[in-house]
Amino acid sequence: LIALYLYTIRHRRYILSFMNILILTAHPSSVGHAHLIANAYKEEKEKLGDTVTLVDLYKEENFLPYFAFENIKEIPPNETRIRMQQLVTEADEIVFVFPVWWSGTPAIMKNWLDHVLAARFAYRYQEGKLVKMLSGKTAKVFATCGGAGWYFNHFFAPFYILWKYAILGYCGINLTTLEVCEWMSKSDGHDARCTQFIEKVRKDARN
């Protein structure tokens, strides 16, 4: 039995079905570290045979207007929102990659969350009880920050709690990884720190 277990772990890609992965990036610069991180994760997953869709939220074709309404039950349809929700529906795993700004995501990603993880798509209430409509999916968060990473990624950090329970968990999505590349504001050694972080991301993708 032990030998069978070890064989299954080593050759899981041939035994288990491949994954459909959605990666979302939110960095205004085309040379931002978020894109390097996202591409590294994508490369490793594609080597394993997974299908990966990479979405840059700053590209024009992914633009979503500011989330605004008079009556939340009468929000007009939006083709981009519908496409994004279809990508979420098809994904087994969702990966968020972004710089930490003011202890949170860039506004464009927050706007994506408001639009896409909407009521009656990501969650609903039935007889006063929460129904999590995206259960069975997993998610990972890879972020960069100018300060200390521990402020964001330890279990009691507001940033971690927000992603683990208030956003993803509320919809039934299980956050399996949250990693932060720290001290990116320091001019000395920040490229080396990013390189080390990318290697950690690649290892995570292979596991």
Side-chain angles (χ1 to χ4, degrees):
L1 289 176
I2 294 175
L4 178 61
Y5 173 76
L6 293 175
Y7 179 88
T8 300
I9 295 299
R10 180 173 298 177
H11 300 281
R12 65 192 184 281
R13 290 290 159 178
Y14 303 100
I15 298 172
L16 303 176
S17 60
F18 296 119
M19 294 180 68
N20 194 350
I21 298 168
L22 172 62
I23 302 177
L24 301 161
T25 65
H27 198 294
S29 171
S30 62
V31 295
H33 291 101
H35 301 298
L36 297 176
I37 294 166
N39 284 318
Y41 192 86
K42 180 176 183 289
E43 288 172 7
E44 293 300 324
K45 283 300 186 182
E46 288 179 336
K47 288 177 184 177
L48 296 173
D50 293 327
T51 299
V52 183
T53 301
L54 178 56
V55 175
D56 182 348
L57 295 182
Y58 277 94
K59 287 190 174 180
E60 185 176 352
E61 64 266 26
N62 300 320
F63 173 76
L64 284 164
Y66 284 122
F67 190 63
F69 55 85
E70 289 293 334
N71 186 335
I72 195 169
K73 295 182 179 180
E74 298 177 358
I75 298 175
N78 178 286
E79 291 184 4
T80 302
R81 180 172 66 244
I82 293 170
R83 175 167 58 86
M84 292 296 175
Q85 289 180 336
Q86 184 61 35
L87 290 173
V88 170
T89 298
E90 295 171 354
D92 301 301
E93 177 183 86
I94 307 170
V95 181
F96 300 86
V97 190
F98 57 89
V100 175
W101 290 353
W102 293 107
S103 297
T105 71
I108 200 168
M109 181 165 281
K110 177 60 170 66
N111 191 53
W112 185 94
L113 293 169
D114 291 341
H115 269 282
V116 178
L117 300 187
R120 296 179 295 282
F121 170 76
Y123 66 93
R124 62 186 173 88
Y125 293 98
Q126 184 174 346
E127 297 180 354
K129 294 183 179 180
L130 175 65
V131 178
K132 302 178 179 184
M133 300 177 68
L134 298 179
S135 296
K137 301 181 185 297
T138 61
K140 296 179 180 180
V141 172
F142 298 114
T144 62
C145 72
W150 65 263
Y151 184 80
F152 301 103
N153 61 10
H154 68 80
F155 292 142
F156 300 104
F159 185 82
Y160 179 87
I161 293 171
L162 177 70
W163 278 98
K164 177 71 174 178
Y165 302 105
I167 298 175
L168 299 171
Y170 202 80
C171 307
I173 303 172
N174 180 30
L175 177 66
T176 59
T177 299
L178 191 152
E179 295 285 353
V180 180
C181 184
E182 62 182 357
W183 299 117
M184 296 304 290
S185 61
K186 290 186 176 181
S187 58
D188 59 316
H190 81 282
D191 286 335
R193 283 189 291 275
C194 185
T195 298
Q196 292 174 354
F197 186 78
I198 286 174
E199 287 305 311
K200 181 186 291 188
V201 169
R202 289 185 181 276
K203 183 178 179 181
D204 186 279
R206 293 191 293 266
N207 291 336

